[in-house]
């Protein structure tokens, strides 16, 4: 009996990631390439619907931000970034030894107060206040004046207040009643501090409460300058400032380390995929692409039009929402929008197949959980590129538009700033639930699940990675455009979405994108909450 001859192993030619589907596919290489259906009339109408809803959302956002630019009275949300920066600057001064002296354990309370008041007669010194803060709304500019008082004393702060008056006169800016009241309170405080009266009786309790309500933490600090008898309150506020500075420095260090690790992780992933030690698990089926874009279009209508119609119905019905009913309705709409996943089932796709198509898979979930933080870190270089584009767009926008004097401006922001600025515990819980739970589940299901499936099927006859790049970028642009942060934030949000899509392509599951989304939102939310503490 002849010995069985084993065929010699021939060297395998390296395969380019941009090879056509008959060279590389998700299936066995011997299989015929999958041929994909084309976009039907229903699919085209669905895309038209998506475009109309997107245009409406972008227009509404642009109109809202345009009206914000012309608003000349600041809200707590408008001053939120200024408050954070002010706390950091004052914290830097306190941390480096500026500010009121701290008594030793053997110093009596009376001796400590006398020491503080003697120190207050000396000219304070602290971190330079960025001139950029001396811009925007009248309230923000008053915050700048008070920060100058804290770091450089009432003489320089009074000069800045005079310059502010001159700037308002030159711009023919007419102060509102509240702004006039704020200006007079600040002027009274500075005049008293110049006379070494650090607890002026000329400012009533009502005015003190008004200053704190309008200017927040900076207003509170202005009422207890160096030399005040109210040393305990001042110590608490300076402790808040030191905490904010330490937290900011720690956060920046964490971002830098994460970015360095991200560059390394991205390089490792690139090598592993190039050498095919890691392979993407996503598979196209060649069908159902029209059903999924129709599903996504239904979701867009339900998610964005539904709440508007509900609000109008409540308004015309005369129903008054009490307590936090509006937040509960918002959460209900968010999760309830997933009801559109019934549509593909009604169109003849089994629910099991729908779950498989959109990435609702439990198999391999433990591995997905483990690699999710690594995936997020690997995406940080892409996010840095997106952030650079945001800064560039902001600069271009500022050069192309002439801002309204003493207007709020059009910096990228998010509505949650209003909620955080309010400070109520229920509002904070609402933000945490929406940002860290609802958004990762619902948005990843619809964007990286339903829409990404459609886009990959639509471009399935292309080279694989050409299809992946098209699907990830187009998906990311739609994802970014419908968010309320405005036009300038689109590059950063798109970069985030692309990293989520690449994780979806690799794992063929939504677990990794959902966890990555939660990590991102959770990090930002936690940072903002800690800065408020």
């Amino acid at each position: 009996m002849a010995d069985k001859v084993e065929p010699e192993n021939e060297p395998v030619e390296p395969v380019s990631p941009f090879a056509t589907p008959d060279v590389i596919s998700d299936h066995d290489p011997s299989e015929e390439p999958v041929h994909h259906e084309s976009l039907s009339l229903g699919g085209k109408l669905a895309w038209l619907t998506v475009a109309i809803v997107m245009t409406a959302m972008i227009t509404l956002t642009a109109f809202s931000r345009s009206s914000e630019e012309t608003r000349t009275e600041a809200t707590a949300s408008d001053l939120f970034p200024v408050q954070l920066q002010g706390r950091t600057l004052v914290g830097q001064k306190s941390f480096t030894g500026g500010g009121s002296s701290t008594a030793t354990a053997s110093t009596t309370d009376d001796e400590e107060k006398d020491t503080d008041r003697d120190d207050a007669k000396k000219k304070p010194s602290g971190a330079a206040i960025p001139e950029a803060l001396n811009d925007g709304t009248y309230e923000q500019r008053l915050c700048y004046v008070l920060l100058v008082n804290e770091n450089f004393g009432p003489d320089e702060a009074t000069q800045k207040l005079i310059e502010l008056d001159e700037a308002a006169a030159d711009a023919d800016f007419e102060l509102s009643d509240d702004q006039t009241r704020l200006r007079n309170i600040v002027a009274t405080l500075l005049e008293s501090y110049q006379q070494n009266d650090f607890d002026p009786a000329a400012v009533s309790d009502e005015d003190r409460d008004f200053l704190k309500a309008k200017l927040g933490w900076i207003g509170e600090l202005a009422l207890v300058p160096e030399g005040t008898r109210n040393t305990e309150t001042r110590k608490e506020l300076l402790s808040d400032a030191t905490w904010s500075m330490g937290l900011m420095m720690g956060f920046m260090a964490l971002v830098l380390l994460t970015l360095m690790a991200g560059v390394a992780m991205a390089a490792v992933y690139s090598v592993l995929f190039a050498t095919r030690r890691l392979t993407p698990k996503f598979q196209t089926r060649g069908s159902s692409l029209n059903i999924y874009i129709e599903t996504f279009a239904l979701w867009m209508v339900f998610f964005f039009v539904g709440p508007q119609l509900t609000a109008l119905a409540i308004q015309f019905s005369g129903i008054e929402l009490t307590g936090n009913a509006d937040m509960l309705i918002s959460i209900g709409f968010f999760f309830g929008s997933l009801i559109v996943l019934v549509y593909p089932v009604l169109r003849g796709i089994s629910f099991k197949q729908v779950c498989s198509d959109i990435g609702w898979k439990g198999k391999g979930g433990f591995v997905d959980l483990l690699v999710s933080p690594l995936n997020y870190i690997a995406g940080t270089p892409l996010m840095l590129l997106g952030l650079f584009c945001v800064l560039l767009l902001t600069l271009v926008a500022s050069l192309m538009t002439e801002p309204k004097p003493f207007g709020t401006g059009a910096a990228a922001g998010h509505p949650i700033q209003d909620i955080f600025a309010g400070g109520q515990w229920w509002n904070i819980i609402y933000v945490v639930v929406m940002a860290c739970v609802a958004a990762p589940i619902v948005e990843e299901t619809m964007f990286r699940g339903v829409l990404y499936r459609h886009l990959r099927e639509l471009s399935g006859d292309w080279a694989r990675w050409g299809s992946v790049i098209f699907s990830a970028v187009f998906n990311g642009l739609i994802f970014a455009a419908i968010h309320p942060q405005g036009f300038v934030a689109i590059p950063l949000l798109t970069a985030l979405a692309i990293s989520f899509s690449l994780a979806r392509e690799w794992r063929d599951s939504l677990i990794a994108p959902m966890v990555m989304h939660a990590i991102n939102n959770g990090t930002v939310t936690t940072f903002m909450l800690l800065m408020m503490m």
Side-chain angles (χ1 to χ4, degrees):
M1 183 174 181
D3 294 336
K4 183 177 179 180
V5 179
E6 296 290 342
E8 295 183 3
N9 291 328
E10 298 182 359
V12 179
E13 292 290 334
V15 182
S16 167
F18 291 95
T20 54
D22 59 338
V23 176
I24 178 173
S25 72
D26 299 303
H27 308 286
D28 186 274
S30 64
E31 294 183 3
E32 291 294 322
V34 177
H35 295 287
H36 297 78
E37 66 182 34
S38 59
L39 202 60
S40 67
L41 177 60
K44 294 175 182 177
L45 290 175
W47 268 115
L48 178 61
T49 302
V50 171
I52 292 173
V53 175
M54 271 188 59
T55 302
M57 292 302 302
I58 293 172
T59 302
L60 287 174
T61 300
F63 178 78
S64 174
R65 298 190 72 83
S66 177
S67 62
E68 287 291 303
E69 290 181 50
T70 60
R71 184 166 48 81
T72 56
E73 288 197 65
T75 64
S77 174
D78 296 325
L79 297 179
F80 191 73
V82 182
Q83 301 289 339
L84 297 186
Q85 193 166 356
R87 286 164 64 131
T88 303
L89 290 168
V90 174
Q92 180 180 345
K93 171 193 171 186
S94 179
F95 183 78
T96 55
S100 56
S101 60
T102 303
T104 61
S106 60
T107 306
T108 66
D109 290 342
D110 289 338
E111 290 172 338
E112 179 184 349
K113 291 175 183 177
D114 291 338
T115 302
D116 285 343
R117 296 177 72 84
D118 290 338
D119 288 346
K121 296 178 182 178
K122 304 174 184 178
K123 185 177 180 179
S125 62
I129 312 299
E131 193 64 28
L133 292 181
N134 192 20
D135 195 9
T137 63
Y138 190 82
E139 289 84 352
Q140 176 169 326
R141 300 186 193 209
L142 283 178
C143 286
Y144 172 82
V145 170
L146 294 177
L147 288 173
V148 170
N149 172 67
E150 174 62 30
N151 276 14
F152 299 102
D155 291 339
E156 290 200 31
T158 299
Q159 180 59 38
K160 293 297 182 182
L161 184 60
I162 293 172
E163 293 174 5
L164 176 56
D165 291 339
E166 294 173 349
D170 292 342
D172 292 327
F173 178 71
E174 185 176 350
L175 274 64
S176 68
D177 292 341
D178 282 352
Q179 289 169 336
T180 301
R181 184 181 178 186
L182 278 174
R183 190 263 174 215
N184 292 337
I185 295 171
V186 171
T188 301
L189 288 175
L190 295 180
E191 183 180 357
S192 299
Y193 299 159
Q194 285 180 306
Q195 299 171 3
N196 291 332
D197 178 9
F198 303 107
D199 298 285
V203 179
S204 66
D205 290 341
E206 291 79 7
D207 282 346
R208 290 171 180 270
D209 292 339
F210 182 76
L211 182 68
K212 290 188 284 187
K214 289 293 185 179
L215 302 188
W217 182 88
I218 294 176
E220 292 185 59
L221 184 64
L223 294 170
V224 284
E226 292 187 37
T228 180
R229 292 186 177 88
N230 193 356
T231 55
E232 291 304 316
T233 299
R234 180 171 174 81
K235 282 183 178 180
E236 290 177 6
L237 293 172
L238 292 181
S239 176
D240 292 342
T242 305
W243 161 263
S244 296
M245 187 211 64
L247 183 63
M248 180 66 74
M249 292 180 62
F251 183 75
M252 292 176 64
L254 178 62
V255 169
L256 181 60
L257 291 174
T258 302
L259 182 59
M260 293 171 61
V263 172
M265 285 300 306
V268 170
Y269 273 146
S270 298
V271 171
L272 291 177
F273 277 103
T275 57
R276 307 203 62 160
R277 296 189 179 185
L278 288 178
T279 55
K281 299 179 181 296
F282 189 97
Q283 297 182 8
T284 57
R285 295 201 303 120
S287 62
S288 306
L289 71 90
N290 291 294
I291 292 177
Y292 285 120
I293 188 56
E294 292 164 8
T295 303
F296 185 77
L298 287 173
W299 178 77
M300 289 277 284
V301 172
F302 183 95
F303 189 77
F304 294 109
V305 179
Q308 309 301 325
L309 294 177
T310 301
L312 288 175
I314 292 174
Q315 181 179 352
F316 284 113
S317 66
I319 299 175
E320 294 186 6
L321 298 180
T322 59
N324 301 296
D326 55 338
M327 294 184 182
L328 293 175
I329 291 175
S330 177
I331 293 174
F333 258 106
F334 220 95
F335 284 106
S337 66
L338 293 179
I339 192 67
V340 299
L341 295 179
V342 172
Y343 178 76
V345 177
L346 297 177
R347 290 292 304 274
I349 306 177
S350 69
F351 184 68
K352 181 179 179 180
Q353 185 62 53
V354 171
C355 291
S356 176
D357 286 345
I358 67 175
W360 277 10
K361 299 178 179 180
K363 186 177 180 180
F366 181 71
V367 175
D368 289 335
L369 287 173
L370 289 180
V371 300
S372 295
L374 300 179
N375 293 343
Y376 183 80
I377 292 173
T380 52
L382 189 61
M383 298 174 206
L384 180 63
L385 178 61
L387 180 60
F388 175 78
C389 293
V390 167
L391 298 176
L392 186 61
L393 280 177
T394 303
L395 176 62
V396 172
S398 65
L399 294 176
M400 293 180 62
T401 59
E402 185 176 350
K404 181 180 176 64
F406 294 92
T408 57
H414 197 284
I416 66 171
Q417 288 182 187
D418 292 301
I419 300 174
F420 275 142
Q424 291 85 0
W425 66 269
W426 173 252
N427 292 353
I428 293 174
I429 291 175
Y430 165 77
V431 169
V432 171
V433 171
M434 291 291 286
C436 304
V437 180
I441 292 174
V442 176
E443 291 179 359
E444 293 310 307
T445 295
M446 299 312 302
F447 283 94
R448 259 59 68 184
V450 175
L451 181 59
Y452 188 77
R453 165 62 63 180
H454 163 76
L455 293 171
R456 285 287 279 113
E457 298 289 353
L458 183 64
S459 58
D461 289 328
W462 301 4
R464 179 182 186 115
W465 288 111
S467 173
V468 170
I469 293 172
F470 161 76
S471 302
V473 172
F474 199 55
N475 179 298
L477 287 171
I478 297 175
F479 173 80
I482 64 174
H483 276 69
Q485 286 92 324
F487 174 75
V488 296
I490 285 180
L492 179 57
L493 292 172
T494 300
L496 273 171
I498 290 174
S499 66
F500 299 159
S501 293
L502 294 179
R504 160 80 159 118
E505 179 73 21
W506 174 29
R507 300 302 303 169
D508 194 25
S509 166
L510 288 182
I511 293 177
M514 285 179 179
V515 174
M516 292 168 67
H517 198 148
I519 289 173
N520 181 78
N521 290 3
T523 300
V524 174
T525 303
T526 301
F527 174 73
M528 294 180 71
L529 285 174
L530 290 176
M531 287 293 287
M532 289 173 57
M533 291 178 59

